[in-house]
Every structure is written in C-alpha cells, then in structure tokens.
Amino acid sequence: MKRAPQIILSLWLLATLLWWALAFLPVPDSSPEWLSVARNVCFGSMENGLPSAAGWMILTLGPLSFLLFFLVAWPGELMRTLHGAFSSSGGRHFLYLAFAVVLLEAVWVGQKIKAAVETGKVDFQTHTNEDFPENYPRQNKPAPDFELVDQSGKTVSLQTLKGENVILTFAFAHCQTVCPVLVRETMEAMKSVKNVPVRLLIVTLDPWRDTPSSLPFLAEKWNLPMGAHVLSGKVETVNSVLSDFNVPRERDEKTGDVIHPALVYLISADGRIAYTFNNAPAKWLSQAVERITHGKNHTAAR
C-alpha cells in the first residue's frame, strides 16, 4: 500500500500521455482505419483538424479531475512520493524521462495547433455575388466512365446515372484545407437546384486510407445528403479515374496528404462534360446545372 500513490501517479501520467497521443500523434498514411474513427468518436473534429469543443473538454477535464481526486485522497503521500523521487538517482532519471516525453508530446500538440491556426487564416472559399457568367467556356465531350464503390457498398458508374446531371469533384478525409469548403460548396449547389435531377459524386484522392469500408464514416463526417456519394475502390482503380479526369495532384509519401485544386466537373444528363470549374462558388454550380438542363445554347469549347 505504501507504493500505491507512486503506482497511481505513474499510471495517471501514462494514461494522460496516451490520451493526448491518440488525439495528436502524427501518423503515416499506413495507419489503421480504426485510428481515424477512434479520434473522431473520442474528440470530434473541426475543419482545421483540431478537436471539437467537447473534445478539448475531454482532453483537459478528464486528466485534471483524476489528478484532483488523487490530491484530495492522498495529499501527503503524493508529496512524499515526489520528494522521494527527487532524492534518489533512479527516481530523478524517471522524472527526467517523463519530462522529456511530456516535452516531446507538447511539441507535437504545438505543431498541430500552429498548423491549424495557419490553415484558419486562409480562406479557400470563392466570395462573389455575381451570377454564373454567360460567356463561361462550355464544353461538350464524353465523360470517362468508371465504376467505384460508394458509402452504402453499391457500385456507382456514370453510365448508370445517365438521365441525371452530375456534379463530380475530388477530395479526401484527412484534408483540412480546401476539401471541407469544396464539399460544402458542392453540397450546397446540389441542394439549391430545384426540380432538376442532379447527383453529387466525390471521388477520394486518398484511396490508401479512404477505403470502401471507411466511406460510411466519411459520409457521416461530411453529412452527405441523399443523392450524394463518396467513392473509392482499389488504389490503382481510383488513380486511373483521377488520371482519366486529368486531376492535378501531388502526394506526400510520408504523411499521405495530397496537394490538389478545387476541381469540379459538371456532367450533363447525356454523360458529357459540360463545364469544368476550379474553386467555383455554389451559386455558379447550381446556375450551371440549370443552364444545361433548360437548354440554353452556348459556344462549345471543343
């Protein structure tokens, strides 16, 4: 029983470090799928990649409440434990090691927060009150067909969606910059189109981590509405689709993150690419859908 305060204090420190590591530890692209799910369930996730308000409360109030309990239950014993640790060579080495680990983890957390703050300063959304330009280049070429799996496990292809207009874009789950805005703008465009059949397809740029089995979680995270599909498949299959649609991308092999534009294709009901956008506002996308649906004629860019 005499060593109980030492053991409990050590376990508290270890549990706290592991708890914060779960929330902030950098992981490679080969990290298991359950890790991303666990982080979101435990701490939530804001657009900048940081925990939600509830997540911060769990991260801070949880360990602090346990520490407060220990201080109330064993105030003298804990002080003697710390004094004894400083008095022995082994205890000092243990404390130095613990301090080094805490410092290293603090650096990880600090880097994560710094990156989130920098991300928050950048506005990836296009702000304009102007209508979709009448002279915006109109295209008229067949859209490359593909077969990928959506969040319900069903195979989706452009061929099966003929007869409906399609908003096609590209994003991935771990993206903390352009993707949240891109997904939100395309969803808003899809919802704002009235009495016109339109589908939203989001092809992952990260098939290594956005596997078909992870898509239900991703669809819930993005709050995708009915008629919106997030798509994945085998790595080589997804990469082939991205290449067919000429999606510029650069992948960091260490982190798995992908640098990419906010590319959106509008595909008409007959399966042909009508417009190509980069960082277009929802207003333009919805007006473009209505334009091709109601048959306004524009010069096609061949």
Side-chain angles (χ1 to χ4, degrees):
M1 291 296 294
K2 291 183 178 180
R3 299 182 61 85
Q6 301 177 24
I7 297 174
I8 291 175
L9 189 61
S10 298
L11 290 176
W12 171 84
L13 178 61
L14 177 62
T16 300
L17 290 172
L18 291 175
W19 192 232
W20 279 71
L22 176 62
F24 294 102
L25 182 66
V27 293
D29 63 323
S30 58
S31 59
E33 184 180 310
W34 63 263
L35 181 57
S36 296
V37 176
R39 282 180 165 177
N40 189 72
V41 170
C42 293
F43 312 112
S45 179
M46 297 192 299
E47 288 184 356
N48 58 11
L50 292 179
S52 63
W56 280 112
M57 292 179 65
I58 292 172
L59 280 167
T60 55
L61 295 183
L64 285 176
S65 62
F66 279 103
L67 181 60
L68 181 61
F69 172 79
F70 298 151
L71 290 173
V72 172
W74 296 293
E77 289 84 349
L78 288 175
M79 293 303 297
R80 285 192 290 272
T81 295
L82 292 175
H83 183 269
F86 278 109
S87 301
S88 66
S89 176
R92 285 194 300 271
H93 282 92
F94 173 79
L95 292 175
Y96 294 152
L97 177 61
F99 177 78
V101 173
V102 170
L103 183 62
L104 178 61
E105 193 159 313
V107 171
W108 288 334
V109 175
Q111 290 176 341
K112 185 80 171 182
I113 294 175
K114 180 180 179 181
V117 170
E118 293 300 319
T119 298
K121 294 179 181 178
V122 181
D123 188 355
F124 294 94
Q125 190 168 4
T126 298
H127 297 279
T128 179
N129 292 321
E130 298 180 0
D131 288 332
F132 181 48
E134 288 290 333
N135 61 348
Y136 195 92
R138 175 71 182 266
Q139 299 172 273
N140 185 28
K141 58 183 180 181
D145 197 14
F146 57 79
E147 288 189 353
L148 294 173
V149 179
D150 73 355
Q151 65 268 27
S152 63
K154 296 181 180 179
T155 299
V156 175
S157 69
L158 292 180
Q159 181 64 35
T160 58
L161 296 179
K162 275 197 173 181
E164 300 181 72
N165 298 300
V166 173
I167 297 174
L168 173 66
T169 191
F170 311 89
F172 64 105
H174 289 73
C175 179
Q176 300 168 9
T177 52
V178 65
C179 295
V181 174
L182 177 60
V183 172
R184 185 170 62 246
E185 290 290 295
T186 51
M187 285 197 302
E188 183 179 333
M190 188 193 76
K191 293 176 182 178
S192 64
V193 176
K194 304 299 182 183
N195 302 318
V196 175
V198 60
R199 294 273 184 170
L200 171 59
L201 304 184
I202 306 173
V203 177
T204 180
L205 290 156
D206 183 13
W208 295 267
R209 292 180 290 187
D210 295 344
T211 58
S213 60
S214 72
L215 296 184
F217 161 72
L218 182 53
E220 183 178 354
K221 175 183 176 181
W222 284 341
N223 196 27
L224 295 185
M226 292 291 295
H229 308 262
V230 56
L231 304 174
S232 185
K234 294 182 179 180
V235 171
E236 56 272 20
T237 302
V238 174
N239 278 330
S240 178
V241 173
L242 298 177
S243 297
D244 287 343
F245 280 90
N246 300 311
V247 180
R249 60 199 187 277
E250 182 178 343
R251 181 170 179 265
D252 188 323
E253 296 295 335
K254 293 182 179 179
T255 66
D257 289 337
V258 181
I259 299 174
H260 65 99
L263 185 64
V264 180
Y265 285 102
L266 176 55
I267 301 173
S268 60
D270 60 357
R272 304 180 76 83
I273 295 175
Y275 294 107
T276 302
F277 300 96
N278 185 10
N279 203 25
K283 184 178 183 180
W284 283 21
L285 296 176
S286 60
Q287 289 180 342
V289 172
E290 293 172 354
R291 181 175 296 179
I292 65 173
T293 302
H294 298 314
K296 291 185 178 181
N297 293 321
H298 296 271
T299 301
R302 301 285 180 178

